[in-house]
Amino acid sequence: MCKGLSNLPSSCLEKAKGMRVKLSNFTDIHKNKCWDEKTPLDLETLLCNKNTLHAFRCFLRSEFSQENLDFWLACEDYRGSPLNVQKSKACGIYNQFINPDAPQEVNLDAETRETLLSVMDSPCSDTFNTAQQRIFSLMAKDSFPRFLRSMDNIRAY
């Protein structure tokens, strides 16, 4: 570290480190050409394209909020799973994203959590539909617009 930086308050250094992480993630997006120049009109369109999905994932990682996308994708995978593996996948999703102590806990209301807990003994293909829709709406209203603004800022350079 150069002498000038050692005189800065630690809060400034932490902010600088955070900015460096975000910039490196945006650089990865640009370097890998994960982003085609067409801006997706909506979140559903973005999620259907591997390139834009990857760019969105990089953005969410830079904001430390990748759990919503991971949950949504896990639900998509679960819905297409054979019946004989749905119970184990449902438990995995619950433990990873829904449980209050989950490592990637998503922001769901108490009623949705309780409903999911009550059906975990006998899950079916639409077990996570309501929760998945709530998380999709959250991403569409919050993360997706910020992502679009960040991509506009990158293009401006």
Side-chain angles (χ1 to χ4, degrees), residues 7 13 20 23 25 37 44 52-53 60 88 97 102 124 126 135 142 147:
N7 295 330
L13 294 174
R20 189 179 82 197
L23 287 172
N25 284 329
E37 291 300 316
E44 191 172 339
T52 56
L53 177 61
L60 292 175
S88 65
F97 301 104
C124 60
D126 64 351
I135 294 302
D142 184 43
F147 169 72

Side-chain angles (χ1 to χ4, degrees), residues 103-119:
Q104 287 187 283
E105 183 181 359
V106 292
N107 187 10
L108 290 171
D109 59 281
E111 182 181 340
T112 303
R113 285 180 193 279
E114 290 169 14
T115 301
L116 284 171
L117 181 58
S118 70
V119 298

Side-chain angles (χ1 to χ4, degrees), residues 83-101:
L83 292 175
N84 62 338
V85 296
Q86 281 189 345
K87 185 166 183 163
S88 65
K89 282 192 175 197
C91 288
I93 290 171
Y94 186 86
N95 291 329
Q96 185 71 26
F97 301 104
I98 309 299
N99 190 353
D101 296 325

Side-chain angles (χ1 to χ4, degrees), residues 9 15 17 19 29 34-35 37 39 45 48 53 55 65 70 72 82 87 91 99 106 110 118 125 133 141 147 156:
K15 285 182 182 178
K17 286 179 188 176
M19 290 173 64
I29 292 169
C34 294
W35 179 258
E37 291 300 316
T39 302
T45 303
C48 292
L53 177 61
S65 61
D70 290 343
W72 189 88
K87 185 166 183 163
C91 288
N99 190 353
V106 292
S118 70
S125 61
Q133 185 56 47
K141 291 176 185 170
F147 169 72

Side-chain angles (χ1 to χ4, degrees), residues 66-84:
Q66 188 176 339
E67 68 278 353
N68 289 336
L69 179 60
D70 290 343
F71 172 72
W72 189 88
L73 292 169
C75 291
E76 287 295 294
D77 177 60
Y78 170 81
R79 188 178 301 112
S81 298
L83 292 175
N84 62 338

Side-chain angles (χ1 to χ4, degrees), residues 21-22 25-26 29 43 46-47 52-73 104 106 135-136 138-148 150-151:
V21 168
K22 285 184 179 188
N25 284 329
F26 289 137
I29 292 169
L43 181 58
L46 178 142
L47 295 171
T52 56
L53 177 61
H54 180 73
F56 188 51
R57 181 184 296 276
C58 290
F59 170 77
L60 292 175
R61 189 178 309 128
S62 76
E63 291 204 335
F64 305 100
S65 61
Q66 188 176 339
E67 68 278 353
N68 289 336
L69 179 60
D70 290 343
F71 172 72
W72 189 88
L73 292 169
Q104 287 187 283
V106 292
I135 294 302
F136 180 90
L138 183 65
M139 288 191 299
K141 291 176 185 170
D142 184 43
S143 306
F144 182 66
R146 284 196 326 270
F147 169 72
L148 292 178
S150 75
M151 295 312 296

